[in-house]
Amino acid sequence: MAENVKQFLCVWPFGLKGLVSTAATLVFFFFLVACAALLNWVDIPLIRGTAFGQANFTSPSSYIHGERIIYPLNCSDYVSSAQKCPDNYPSKFEPGESTSEACPDYFRWIHQDLKPWETSGITKEMIERGIPGADNRLVIINGSVYLEKYRPSFQTRDLFTIWGILQLLRLYPGKVPDLDLLLFTGDTTVVMKRDYEGPNATSPPPVFHYCGDKGSLDIMLPDWTFWGWPEVNIRPWEQTLRAIKEGEERIKWEEREPYAYWRGNPNVAADRVDLLKCNRSDENEWNVRVYTQDWLKEIGQGFRNSRLEDQCTHRYKIYIEGGTWSVSEKYIFACDSMTLMIKPVYYDFFSRSLMPMQHFWPIRNNNKCRDIKFAVEWGNNHTREAQAIGTAGSKYIEEILAMRNVYDYMFHLLNEYAKLLRFKPTVPPKAQRVCAESMACSNKDLCKEFMVQSMVKSPSDKLPCTLPPPYEPEVIRASLEEKEKITKQVETWETENWEKLNKKQ
Ligand SMILES: *[C@@H]1O[C@H](CO)[C@@H](O)[C@H](O)[C@H]1NC(C)=O
Ligand SMILES: *[C@@H]1O[C@H](CO)[C@@H](O)[C@H](O)[C@H]1NC(C)=O
Ligand SMILES: *[C@@H]1O[C@H](CO)[C@@H](O)[C@H](O)[C@H]1NC(C)=O
Ligand SMILES: *[C@@H]1O[C@H](CO)[C@@H](O)[C@H](O)[C@H]1NC(C)=O
Ligand SMILES: *[C@@H]1O[C@H](CO)[C@@H](O)[C@H](O)[C@H]1NC(C)=O
Ligand SMILES: *[C@@H]1O[C@H](CO)[C@@H](O)[C@H](O)[C@H]1NC(C)=O
């Protein structure tokens, strides 16, 4: 097993070596340095391809003589230049098209997440107050990224999140403004609303994080899995999505098992352990088939049973939160089986726009088994309708989470955030410059492979989409009420059905 584990150890670039996350990684790091000469660096040369699209361009900088610029990634070059990040190339972004489309509606939550600082703006003092709750401080100046690590992150969460931000800068060179932000990569929310209420309340510190709930003020940022999660063999989102779509083709909806499926690690949440009780037993048939995932065993067996593309085998798939939100949501929705969503407490950057009975079937947390049994029975009686919800949910996820939208969301989020800054960001004394070269060239195996796969290879030939205005508070309220009404309706159906059945017996 040690063999297998070794390859999941990703490392930070050389300048940040004192802060790698575990002792094992540290050992591996020295191993890496010692063997640097033997490593099989993947050199990606500067290729000049033919320009995409049909338009004629008048010397835009992302094209040279009508040829599209492809960013180089030359690790020998990086190593021989004393591991110095190259100067930004190109420094300017001039897309071929000057018009842009409207962003999806869920981008409006950007305004909502930044609302606490709408009038006060964001001062350096506010950011510094947030440091105890953060893992990293990331500063962007003139398109270069500087990072200060305060503490280790779980596995490679921060590494791949920051890799994602570096890709955004490659997609829109020269467009991301100077900024200074804090990032938290754990599961639990960090900035509690209740600590910043009342007459003498101070402004909350702005902290970027992956999930939020009613009681928190964390700012939503897409999580690391869009660029990869090597520890559990989850490839970057584009590759994973493609694989799930191929998996989906393998078994037609009608031919899938007519039950609700879930696979995962139950030991992270009491509600997940509770879900195991709904599994098929001699006494009960709740139409549920759950399987526990033993990650250590999976690592040892080369992930034979955990491949996401092999999990589109049942007509219904259950989504249940882990400790807080779960990155599994997009993978579950991506398969066109109908998603049975156990009422979540947390949200991430896109999930607030999912609608019950349009994209998923709502399930009560305190009535799991009965609600799932009913949903499955209903679906098997109304296959066309159930399939339509499954297809709509999967189409919606594919569309709103196209990588272009994920980058555009990050772009607008960072842009709106930077507008609120009341100071000129400067490089913190302990921060180190990081770049795609320093990260990709310091790594090997799966870590490097995922980085190379998810790397932005050219500047965009389009402008980012146009950010829609904020939601009016009434619109948010109406939407929440609508969701609540539909969910209540489904609950009533279940209760009526249950009572009818029990009267019969
Ligand atoms: C682009 O420009 C060339 C020469 O200037 C011209 O022959 C060609 O038709 C143009 N292509 C388009 C798609 O406008
Ligand atoms: C990478 O850089 C090295 C050293 O500067 C150079 O010799 C080599 O040709 C480059 N490789 C590619 C594929 O461009
Ligand atoms: C950023 O660019 C400005 C203007 O070109 C320059 O004065 C400044 O020193 C640069 N800052 C950094 C940290 O590179
Ligand atoms: C707010 O501050 C004032 C003046 O310092 C103090 O008298 C008052 O008790 C404080 N109120 C609360 C709720 O802390
Ligand atoms: C649930 O039931 C299935 C089928 O009977 C079984 O294979 C599986 O191991 C059970 N899951 C758990 C967690 O016990
Ligand atoms: C499904 O159809 C069966 C047979 O017609 C019926 O007894 C049952 O009540 C239906 N269940 C639901 C939830 O529609």
Side-chain angles (χ1 to χ4, degrees), residues 4 15 21 99 117 173 175 187 218 237 267 275 288 291 299 302 304 319 323 377 409 419 455 458 461 484:
N4 284 306
S21 52
T99 55
W117 303 277
K175 287 281 277 185
D187 283 343
D218 302 23
W237 169 238
N267 300 320
L275 174 67
V288 172
Y291 302 90
I299 290 169
R304 217 180 316 137
Y319 172 72
E377 224 179 272
Y409 187 93
K419 282 184 198 163
M455 191 167 68
S458 285
D461 53 359
E484 191 56 31

PDB file of all heavy atoms in Angstrom, residues 4 15 21 99 117 173 175 187 218 237 267 275 288 291 299 302 304 319 323 377 409 419 455 458 461 484:
ATOM      1  N   ASN A   4       1.315   2.703  -3.253  1.00  0.00           N
ATOM      2  CA  ASN A   4       0.188   3.459  -3.774  1.00  0.00           C
ATOM      3  C   ASN A   4       0.054   4.830  -3.155  1.00  0.00           C
ATOM      4  O   ASN A   4      -0.302   5.784  -3.796  1.00  0.00           O
ATOM      5  CB  ASN A   4      -1.101   2.682  -3.541  1.00  0.00           C
ATOM      6  CG  ASN A   4      -1.222   1.539  -4.523  1.00  0.00           C
ATOM      7  OD1 ASN A   4      -1.136   1.767  -5.716  1.00  0.00           O
ATOM      8  ND2 ASN A   4      -1.373   0.349  -4.015  1.00  0.00           N
ATOM      9  N   GLY A  15       9.967  27.226  -2.741  1.00  0.00           N
ATOM     10  CA  GLY A  15      10.005  28.371  -1.832  1.00  0.00           C
ATOM     11  C   GLY A  15       9.142  28.165  -0.596  1.00  0.00           C
ATOM     12  O   GLY A  15       9.329  28.808   0.411  1.00  0.00           O
ATOM     13  N   SER A  21       2.325  19.906   4.219  1.00  0.00           N
ATOM     14  CA  SER A  21       1.329  19.593   5.232  1.00  0.00           C
ATOM     15  C   SER A  21       1.645  18.445   6.187  1.00  0.00           C
ATOM     16  O   SER A  21       1.181  18.443   7.291  1.00  0.00           O
ATOM     17  CB  SER A  21      -0.003  19.351   4.553  1.00  0.00           C
ATOM     18  OG  SER A  21       0.165  18.412   3.533  1.00  0.00           O
ATOM     19  N   THR A  99     -18.023  41.402 -27.765  1.00  0.00           N
ATOM     20  CA  THR A  99     -19.297  41.311 -27.055  1.00  0.00           C
ATOM     21  C   THR A  99     -19.217  40.128 -26.100  1.00  0.00           C
ATOM     22  O   THR A  99     -18.369  39.274 -26.232  1.00  0.00           O
ATOM     23  CB  THR A  99     -20.454  41.048 -28.032  1.00  0.00           C
ATOM     24  OG1 THR A  99     -20.146  39.881 -28.787  1.00  0.00           O
ATOM     25  CG2 THR A  99     -20.675  42.219 -28.947  1.00  0.00           C
ATOM     26  N   TRP A 117     -19.967  43.866   3.187  1.00  0.00           N
ATOM     27  CA  TRP A 117     -18.943  44.908   3.054  1.00  0.00           C
ATOM     28  C   TRP A 117     -19.365  45.979   2.042  1.00  0.00           C
ATOM     29  O   TRP A 117     -18.559  46.811   1.651  1.00  0.00           O
ATOM     30  CB  TRP A 117     -17.605  44.270   2.649  1.00  0.00           C
ATOM     31  CG  TRP A 117     -17.194  43.237   3.645  1.00  0.00           C
ATOM     32  CD1 TRP A 117     -16.536  43.470   4.823  1.00  0.00           C
ATOM     33  CD2 TRP A 117     -17.449  41.823   3.602  1.00  0.00           C
ATOM     34  NE1 TRP A 117     -16.363  42.286   5.507  1.00  0.00           N
ATOM     35  CE2 TRP A 117     -16.915  41.261   4.785  1.00  0.00           C
ATOM     36  CE3 TRP A 117     -18.101  40.975   2.695  1.00  0.00           C
ATOM     37  CZ2 TRP A 117     -16.998  39.884   5.068  1.00  0.00           C
ATOM     38  CZ3 TRP A 117     -18.179  39.604   2.977  1.00  0.00           C
ATOM     39  CH2 TRP A 117     -17.622  39.084   4.145  1.00  0.00           C
ATOM     40  N   PRO A 173      -5.385  37.062 -18.834  1.00  0.00           N
ATOM     41  CA  PRO A 173      -4.172  37.775 -18.401  1.00  0.00           C
ATOM     42  C   PRO A 173      -4.397  39.287 -18.355  1.00  0.00           C
ATOM     43  O   PRO A 173      -5.018  39.854 -19.258  1.00  0.00           O
ATOM     44  CB  PRO A 173      -3.132  37.380 -19.463  1.00  0.00           C
ATOM     45  CG  PRO A 173      -3.892  36.842 -20.615  1.00  0.00           C
ATOM     46  CD  PRO A 173      -5.168  36.290 -20.071  1.00  0.00           C
ATOM     47  N   LYS A 175      -6.396  40.911 -16.569  1.00  0.00           N
ATOM     48  CA  LYS A 175      -7.756  41.336 -16.233  1.00  0.00           C
ATOM     49  C   LYS A 175      -8.091  41.208 -14.749  1.00  0.00           C
ATOM     50  O   LYS A 175      -8.992  41.870 -14.258  1.00  0.00           O
ATOM     51  CB  LYS A 175      -8.774  40.480 -17.008  1.00  0.00           C
ATOM     52  CG  LYS A 175      -8.880  40.789 -18.480  1.00  0.00           C
ATOM     53  CD  LYS A 175      -9.716  42.023 -18.741  1.00  0.00           C
ATOM     54  CE  LYS A 175     -11.206  41.693 -18.762  1.00  0.00           C
ATOM     55  NZ  LYS A 175     -12.002  42.881 -19.125  1.00  0.00           N
ATOM     56  N   ASP A 187     -13.752  22.102   6.390  1.00  0.00           N
ATOM     57  CA  ASP A 187     -15.170  21.818   6.139  1.00  0.00           C
ATOM     58  C   ASP A 187     -16.118  22.809   6.799  1.00  0.00           C
ATOM     59  O   ASP A 187     -17.117  23.182   6.222  1.00  0.00           O
ATOM     60  CB  ASP A 187     -15.507  20.416   6.680  1.00  0.00           C
ATOM     61  CG  ASP A 187     -15.007  19.319   5.760  1.00  0.00           C
ATOM     62  OD1 ASP A 187     -14.709  19.618   4.588  1.00  0.00           O
ATOM     63  OD2 ASP A 187     -14.917  18.164   6.212  1.00  0.00           O
ATOM     64  N   ASP A 218     -19.169  33.304   5.247  1.00  0.00           N
ATOM     65  CA  ASP A 218     -18.049  32.881   4.401  1.00  0.00           C
ATOM     66  C   ASP A 218     -18.366  33.245   2.942  1.00  0.00           C
ATOM     67  O   ASP A 218     -19.522  33.198   2.524  1.00  0.00           O
ATOM     68  CB  ASP A 218     -17.826  31.369   4.499  1.00  0.00           C
ATOM     69  CG  ASP A 218     -17.557  30.904   5.932  1.00  0.00           C
ATOM     70  OD1 ASP A 218     -17.948  31.616   6.863  1.00  0.00           O
ATOM     71  OD2 ASP A 218     -16.967  29.827   6.105  1.00  0.00           O
ATOM     72  N   TRP A 237     -12.533  18.239 -13.087  1.00  0.00           N
ATOM     73  CA  TRP A 237     -13.963  18.173 -13.393  1.00  0.00           C
ATOM     74  C   TRP A 237     -14.259  17.930 -14.873  1.00  0.00           C
ATOM     75  O   TRP A 237     -15.109  17.111 -15.204  1.00  0.00           O
ATOM     76  CB  TRP A 237     -14.634  19.451 -12.879  1.00  0.00           C
ATOM     77  CG  TRP A 237     -16.044  19.701 -13.304  1.00  0.00           C
ATOM     78  CD1 TRP A 237     -16.504  20.796 -13.967  1.00  0.00           C
ATOM     79  CD2 TRP A 237     -17.196  18.869 -13.055  1.00  0.00           C
ATOM     80  NE1 TRP A 237     -17.864  20.704 -14.148  1.00  0.00           N
ATOM     81  CE2 TRP A 237     -18.306  19.534 -13.597  1.00  0.00           C
ATOM     82  CE3 TRP A 237     -17.389  17.634 -12.432  1.00  0.00           C
ATOM     83  CZ2 TRP A 237     -19.597  19.015 -13.543  1.00  0.00           C
ATOM     84  CZ3 TRP A 237     -18.679  17.107 -12.379  1.00  0.00           C
ATOM     85  CH2 TRP A 237     -19.765  17.788 -12.934  1.00  0.00           C
ATOM     86  N   ASN A 267     -18.938   7.605   7.848  1.00  0.00           N
ATOM     87  CA  ASN A 267     -18.449   7.958   9.179  1.00  0.00           C
ATOM     88  C   ASN A 267     -18.117   9.429   9.376  1.00  0.00           C
ATOM     89  O   ASN A 267     -17.512   9.800  10.370  1.00  0.00           O
ATOM     90  CB  ASN A 267     -17.245   7.078   9.521  1.00  0.00           C
ATOM     91  CG  ASN A 267     -17.643   5.612   9.504  1.00  0.00           C
ATOM     92  OD1 ASN A 267     -18.736   5.260   9.972  1.00  0.00           O
ATOM     93  ND2 ASN A 267     -16.812   4.773   8.928  1.00  0.00           N
ATOM     94  N   LEU A 275     -28.631   6.973   7.290  1.00  0.00           N
ATOM     95  CA  LEU A 275     -29.082   6.541   5.953  1.00  0.00           C
ATOM     96  C   LEU A 275     -28.865   5.040   5.756  1.00  0.00           C
ATOM     97  O   LEU A 275     -29.649   4.371   5.070  1.00  0.00           O
ATOM     98  CB  LEU A 275     -28.344   7.341   4.866  1.00  0.00           C
ATOM     99  CG  LEU A 275     -28.590   6.928   3.413  1.00  0.00           C
ATOM    100  CD1 LEU A 275     -30.040   7.222   3.016  1.00  0.00           C
ATOM    101  CD2 LEU A 275     -27.634   7.639   2.458  1.00  0.00           C
ATOM    102  N   VAL A 288     -33.723   1.218  -1.250  1.00  0.00           N
ATOM    103  CA  VAL A 288     -32.417   1.881  -1.105  1.00  0.00           C
ATOM    104  C   VAL A 288     -31.297   0.849  -1.218  1.00  0.00           C
ATOM    105  O   VAL A 288     -31.410  -0.253  -0.689  1.00  0.00           O
ATOM    106  CB  VAL A 288     -32.343   2.591   0.273  1.00  0.00           C
ATOM    107  CG1 VAL A 288     -30.944   3.122   0.529  1.00  0.00           C
ATOM    108  CG2 VAL A 288     -33.371   3.716   0.353  1.00  0.00           C
ATOM    109  N   TYR A 291     -23.805   1.676  -0.206  1.00  0.00           N
ATOM    110  CA  TYR A 291     -22.529   0.965  -0.112  1.00  0.00           C
ATOM    111  C   TYR A 291     -21.539   1.878   0.582  1.00  0.00           C
ATOM    112  O   TYR A 291     -21.441   3.061   0.240  1.00  0.00           O
ATOM    113  CB  TYR A 291     -22.031   0.594  -1.512  1.00  0.00           C
ATOM    114  CG  TYR A 291     -23.042  -0.259  -2.238  1.00  0.00           C
ATOM    115  CD1 TYR A 291     -24.030   0.331  -3.024  1.00  0.00           C
ATOM    116  CD2 TYR A 291     -23.036  -1.644  -2.092  1.00  0.00           C
ATOM    117  CE1 TYR A 291     -24.999  -0.441  -3.662  1.00  0.00           C
ATOM    118  CE2 TYR A 291     -23.994  -2.428  -2.725  1.00  0.00           C
ATOM    119  CZ  TYR A 291     -24.972  -1.829  -3.502  1.00  0.00           C
ATOM    120  OH  TYR A 291     -25.932  -2.592  -4.118  1.00  0.00           O
ATOM    121  N   ILE A 299      -7.731   2.740  -2.058  1.00  0.00           N
ATOM    122  CA  ILE A 299      -6.389   3.165  -2.467  1.00  0.00           C
ATOM    123  C   ILE A 299      -5.561   1.920  -2.760  1.00  0.00           C
ATOM    124  O   ILE A 299      -4.906   1.810  -3.789  1.00  0.00           O
ATOM    125  CB  ILE A 299      -5.728   4.047  -1.374  1.00  0.00           C
ATOM    126  CG1 ILE A 299      -6.435   5.404  -1.295  1.00  0.00           C
ATOM    127  CG2 ILE A 299      -4.236   4.243  -1.651  1.00  0.00           C
ATOM    128  CD1 ILE A 299      -6.050   6.260  -0.101  1.00  0.00           C
ATOM    129  N   GLY A 302      -6.463   0.246  -6.092  1.00  0.00           N
ATOM    130  CA  GLY A 302      -6.438   1.056  -7.307  1.00  0.00           C
ATOM    131  C   GLY A 302      -7.797   1.637  -7.668  1.00  0.00           C
ATOM    132  O   GLY A 302      -8.109   1.820  -8.837  1.00  0.00           O
ATOM    133  N   ARG A 304     -10.833   0.516  -7.668  1.00  0.00           N
ATOM    134  CA  ARG A 304     -11.648  -0.294  -8.553  1.00  0.00           C
ATOM    135  C   ARG A 304     -13.139  -0.034  -8.356  1.00  0.00           C
ATOM    136  O   ARG A 304     -13.910  -0.040  -9.306  1.00  0.00           O
ATOM    137  CB  ARG A 304     -11.329  -1.772  -8.307  1.00  0.00           C
ATOM    138  CG  ARG A 304     -11.360  -2.573  -9.578  1.00  0.00           C
ATOM    139  CD  ARG A 304     -11.040  -4.040  -9.350  1.00  0.00           C
ATOM    140  NE  ARG A 304      -9.920  -4.275  -8.463  1.00  0.00           N
ATOM    141  CZ  ARG A 304      -9.923  -5.216  -7.497  1.00  0.00           C
ATOM    142  NH1 ARG A 304     -10.970  -5.971  -7.307  1.00  0.00           N
ATOM    143  NH2 ARG A 304      -8.861  -5.378  -6.738  1.00  0.00           N
ATOM    144  N   TYR A 319     -28.278  12.182  -2.724  1.00  0.00           N
ATOM    145  CA  TYR A 319     -27.255  13.142  -2.262  1.00  0.00           C
ATOM    146  C   TYR A 319     -27.468  13.392  -0.783  1.00  0.00           C
ATOM    147  O   TYR A 319     -28.573  13.756  -0.367  1.00  0.00           O
ATOM    148  CB  TYR A 319     -27.332  14.488  -3.012  1.00  0.00           C
ATOM    149  CG  TYR A 319     -26.405  15.520  -2.377  1.00  0.00           C
ATOM    150  CD1 TYR A 319     -25.029  15.419  -2.512  1.00  0.00           C
ATOM    151  CD2 TYR A 319     -26.908  16.567  -1.587  1.00  0.00           C
ATOM    152  CE1 TYR A 319     -24.164  16.314  -1.890  1.00  0.00           C
ATOM    153  CE2 TYR A 319     -26.054  17.475  -0.965  1.00  0.00           C
ATOM    154  CZ  TYR A 319     -24.687  17.346  -1.119  1.00  0.00           C
ATOM    155  OH  TYR A 319     -23.833  18.230  -0.498  1.00  0.00           O
ATOM    156  N   GLY A 323     -19.728  16.076   6.520  1.00  0.00           N
ATOM    157  CA  GLY A 323     -19.564  16.916   7.695  1.00  0.00           C
ATOM    158  C   GLY A 323     -20.279  18.248   7.473  1.00  0.00           C
ATOM    159  O   GLY A 323     -20.993  18.742   8.339  1.00  0.00           O
ATOM    160  N   GLU A 377     -40.867   4.685  -5.767  1.00  0.00           N
ATOM    161  CA  GLU A 377     -42.107   4.065  -6.256  1.00  0.00           C
ATOM    162  C   GLU A 377     -42.801   4.977  -7.269  1.00  0.00           C
ATOM    163  O   GLU A 377     -43.242   4.536  -8.326  1.00  0.00           O
ATOM    164  CB  GLU A 377     -43.034   3.836  -5.061  1.00  0.00           C
ATOM    165  CG  GLU A 377     -43.693   2.481  -5.068  1.00  0.00           C
ATOM    166  CD  GLU A 377     -44.566   2.340  -3.832  1.00  0.00           C
ATOM    167  OE1 GLU A 377     -44.020   1.894  -2.805  1.00  0.00           O
ATOM    168  OE2 GLU A 377     -45.758   2.706  -3.887  1.00  0.00           O
ATOM    169  N   TYR A 409     -17.148  32.787 -12.922  1.00  0.00           N
ATOM    170  CA  TYR A 409     -17.644  33.046 -11.571  1.00  0.00           C
ATOM    171  C   TYR A 409     -16.492  33.565 -10.696  1.00  0.00           C
ATOM    172  O   TYR A 409     -16.615  34.565  -9.997  1.00  0.00           O
ATOM    173  CB  TYR A 409     -18.239  31.769 -10.966  1.00  0.00           C
ATOM    174  CG  TYR A 409     -18.914  32.004  -9.643  1.00  0.00           C
ATOM    175  CD1 TYR A 409     -20.285  32.279  -9.573  1.00  0.00           C
ATOM    176  CD2 TYR A 409     -18.194  31.991  -8.446  1.00  0.00           C
ATOM    177  CE1 TYR A 409     -20.903  32.519  -8.362  1.00  0.00           C
ATOM    178  CE2 TYR A 409     -18.802  32.232  -7.231  1.00  0.00           C
ATOM    179  CZ  TYR A 409     -20.162  32.499  -7.187  1.00  0.00           C
ATOM    180  OH  TYR A 409     -20.765  32.752  -5.979  1.00  0.00           O
ATOM    181  N   LYS A 419     -13.000  45.487  -5.889  1.00  0.00           N
ATOM    182  CA  LYS A 419     -13.601  46.834  -5.906  1.00  0.00           C
ATOM    183  C   LYS A 419     -13.875  47.335  -4.496  1.00  0.00           C
ATOM    184  O   LYS A 419     -13.965  48.532  -4.257  1.00  0.00           O
ATOM    185  CB  LYS A 419     -14.945  46.793  -6.657  1.00  0.00           C
ATOM    186  CG  LYS A 419     -14.830  46.756  -8.168  1.00  0.00           C
ATOM    187  CD  LYS A 419     -16.230  46.829  -8.762  1.00  0.00           C
ATOM    188  CE  LYS A 419     -16.225  46.366 -10.203  1.00  0.00           C
ATOM    189  NZ  LYS A 419     -17.607  46.049 -10.668  1.00  0.00           N
ATOM    190  N   MET A 455      -4.754  22.454 -16.808  1.00  0.00           N
ATOM    191  CA  MET A 455      -4.054  23.710 -17.063  1.00  0.00           C
ATOM    192  C   MET A 455      -4.733  24.503 -18.188  1.00  0.00           C
ATOM    193  O   MET A 455      -5.141  23.924 -19.193  1.00  0.00           O
ATOM    194  CB  MET A 455      -2.620  23.380 -17.447  1.00  0.00           C
ATOM    195  CG  MET A 455      -1.701  24.559 -17.484  1.00  0.00           C
ATOM    196  SD  MET A 455       0.005  23.974 -17.560  1.00  0.00           S
ATOM    197  CE  MET A 455       0.036  23.260 -19.171  1.00  0.00           C
ATOM    198  N   SER A 458      -4.222  28.461 -23.104  1.00  0.00           N
ATOM    199  CA  SER A 458      -4.211  29.676 -23.929  1.00  0.00           C
ATOM    200  C   SER A 458      -5.026  30.753 -23.251  1.00  0.00           C
ATOM    201  O   SER A 458      -5.973  30.437 -22.541  1.00  0.00           O
ATOM    202  CB  SER A 458      -4.938  29.419 -25.244  1.00  0.00           C
ATOM    203  OG  SER A 458      -4.200  28.664 -26.101  1.00  0.00           O
ATOM    204  N   ASP A 461     -10.284  33.552 -25.872  1.00  0.00           N
ATOM    205  CA  ASP A 461     -10.560  34.361 -27.054  1.00  0.00           C
ATOM    206  C   ASP A 461     -11.882  35.091 -26.899  1.00  0.00           C
ATOM    207  O   ASP A 461     -12.394  35.694 -27.827  1.00  0.00           O
ATOM    208  CB  ASP A 461     -10.518  33.514 -28.337  1.00  0.00           C
ATOM    209  CG  ASP A 461     -11.419  32.308 -28.255  1.00  0.00           C
ATOM    210  OD1 ASP A 461     -12.057  32.127 -27.197  1.00  0.00           O
ATOM    211  OD2 ASP A 461     -11.487  31.553 -29.229  1.00  0.00           O
ATOM    212  N   GLU A 484     -39.818  26.123  -0.758  1.00  0.00           N
ATOM    213  CA  GLU A 484     -40.439  25.585   0.444  1.00  0.00           C
ATOM    214  C   GLU A 484     -41.819  25.016   0.107  1.00  0.00           C
ATOM    215  O   GLU A 484     -42.196  23.936   0.551  1.00  0.00           O
ATOM    216  CB  GLU A 484     -40.538  26.723   1.478  1.00  0.00           C
ATOM    217  CG  GLU A 484     -40.911  26.314   2.881  1.00  0.00           C
ATOM    218  CD  GLU A 484     -39.983  25.268   3.483  1.00  0.00           C
ATOM    219  OE1 GLU A 484     -38.790  25.260   3.128  1.00  0.00           O
ATOM    220  OE2 GLU A 484     -40.472  24.435   4.279  1.00  0.00           O
TER     221      GLU A 484
END
